Amino acid sequence: SGTVFPDFRPWVESYVGLSVEDKSPPHDQWPVPAPNVNSQFWSALVSSVGQENCSTKDYDRVFHSHGHTCQEVFALRYGGLHRVVDAVVWPDTEENCETIVKLASEHGVVIIPFGGGTSVSGALECPSNENRMVLSVDMKRMNRINWVDASNMTAEIEAGIVGQDLQRRLAAVGLTMGHEPDSVEFSTLGGWVSTRASGMKKNVYGNIEDIIVNATMVTPKGTIERSCEVPRMSAGPDVSQIVLGSEGSFGIITKVGPLT
């Protein structure tokens, strides 16, 4: 509003006991522990998906080891993270994801799926007492719209697509998904499903569980998806309810669709 409060700072300093001159500069660097690499797993992974899609660089590891909670941001700025992922992989296809999960299961490697990195539930944090190799699976390269059915107003879309990119590409064909969380410019479709997300337009379009018909998830026991792509079935358990809100506990969400 442009209103000036000339006595506000002196009041805060005298009444609250704070000083705006106090500064706590961030650390330019802090030590990153060496990666704990399972050599047999890593060799098989690099051979399967390509060296260019794998990394053990410190920057990549730190970037994929935190979300957006105040605690995590504070740790990054001042103290460092107690445990970071040991490696990062960027799959390009669902077959890549199946290979990654299969190899991780065989070699006892922990997987943490990574979408946009905007988690506020602590789901991207590595347990400090985890002694196994921890692998972050970054889904950003799986960002394709496989198909759009304008007659039925449905589409199938890969899980790594970022929200604002999805909005723009659907708008190009005169459509919208209608899901718009606060993190839409960073978060991904797979992240919305895995966190059972809500959005600012939910009163019109519903929450994410009201929009999707099917979601595919790769697990150590196989790939889960509904065989009948209809909004509702009266027989049997709905496997989509297992996928929704699972936050990476059961597997990697690879694609969503049809969604309405």
Side-chain angles (χ1 to χ4, degrees):
S1 64
T3 303
V4 178
F5 295 92
D7 298 323
F8 181 72
R9 174 178 167 178
W11 177 83
V12 170
E13 291 181 329
S14 63
Y15 187 81
V16 183
L18 298 177
S19 172
V20 297
E21 300 300 330
D22 292 340
K23 294 181 174 62
S24 181
H27 296 289
D28 292 331
Q29 295 181 346
W30 43 266
V32 179
N36 173 29
V37 177
N38 182 314
S39 57
Q40 290 184 323
F41 166 79
W42 189 245
S43 177
L45 180 68
V46 169
S47 298
S48 298
V49 304
Q51 179 65 64
E52 68 278 8
N53 298 316
C54 305
S55 175
T56 55
K57 295 179 180 178
D58 287 351
Y59 176 85
D60 292 329
R61 294 169 55 217
V62 172
F63 182 85
H64 289 82
S65 297
H66 65 87
H68 283 191
T69 66
C70 291
Q71 177 181 340
E72 289 165 306
V73 173
F74 185 90
L76 280 172
R77 185 175 175 86
Y78 298 116
L81 302 170
H82 296 296
R83 177 75 159 91
V84 299
V85 300
D86 299 300
V88 183
V89 63
W90 291 267
D92 187 57
T93 64
E94 189 172 291
E95 289 72 25
N96 280 169
C97 293
E98 290 173 340
T99 299
I100 292 166
V101 171
K102 180 175 182 292
L103 290 172
S105 180
E106 290 174 353
H107 294 278
V109 171
V110 178
I111 285 178
I112 299 179
F114 187 95
T118 58
S119 171
V120 291
S121 64
L124 296 177
E125 290 187 81
C126 299
S128 58
N129 60 348
E130 180 54 72
N131 296 319
R132 295 172 294 176
M133 179 180 180
V134 180
L135 177 72
S136 176
V137 181
D138 189 325
M139 299 297 291
K140 70 173 59 174
R141 294 181 184 172
M142 293 186 61
N143 60 358
R144 306 169 188 89
I145 296 179
N146 292 335
W147 52 261
V148 175
D149 184 344
S151 298
N152 289 313
M153 298 295 284
T154 57
E156 182 181 88
I157 304 167
E158 290 184 333
I161 192 168
V162 174
Q164 65 177 3
D165 295 334
L166 175 57
Q167 288 181 333
R168 185 182 67 253
R169 290 163 67 179
L170 288 178
V173 293
L175 299 174
T176 181
M177 182 175 167
H179 188 71
E180 192 172 314
D182 290 335
S183 60
V184 67
E185 68 269 38
F186 305 112
S187 57
T188 62
L189 175 59
W192 300 344
V193 175
S194 69
T195 57
R196 209 179 186 99
S198 185
M200 292 180 284
K201 298 179 179 178
K202 68 179 180 63
N203 289 344
V204 176
Y205 298 102
N207 297 312
I208 192 65
E209 65 267 23
D210 304 309
I211 298 172
I212 72 167
V213 175
N214 187 22
T216 301
M217 183 167 66
V218 175
T219 80
K221 296 297 184 181
T223 300
I224 296 177
E225 60 184 343
R226 290 172 62 176
S227 59
C228 185
E229 295 182 343
V230 293
R232 184 180 184 276
M233 291 188 296
S234 59
D238 187 349
V239 296
S240 294
Q241 299 302 318
I242 299 174
V243 178
L244 282 159
S246 57
E247 300 225 21
S249 297
F250 303 135
I252 302 171
I253 298 170
T254 55
K255 64 177 180 282
V256 181
L259 53 81
T260 57

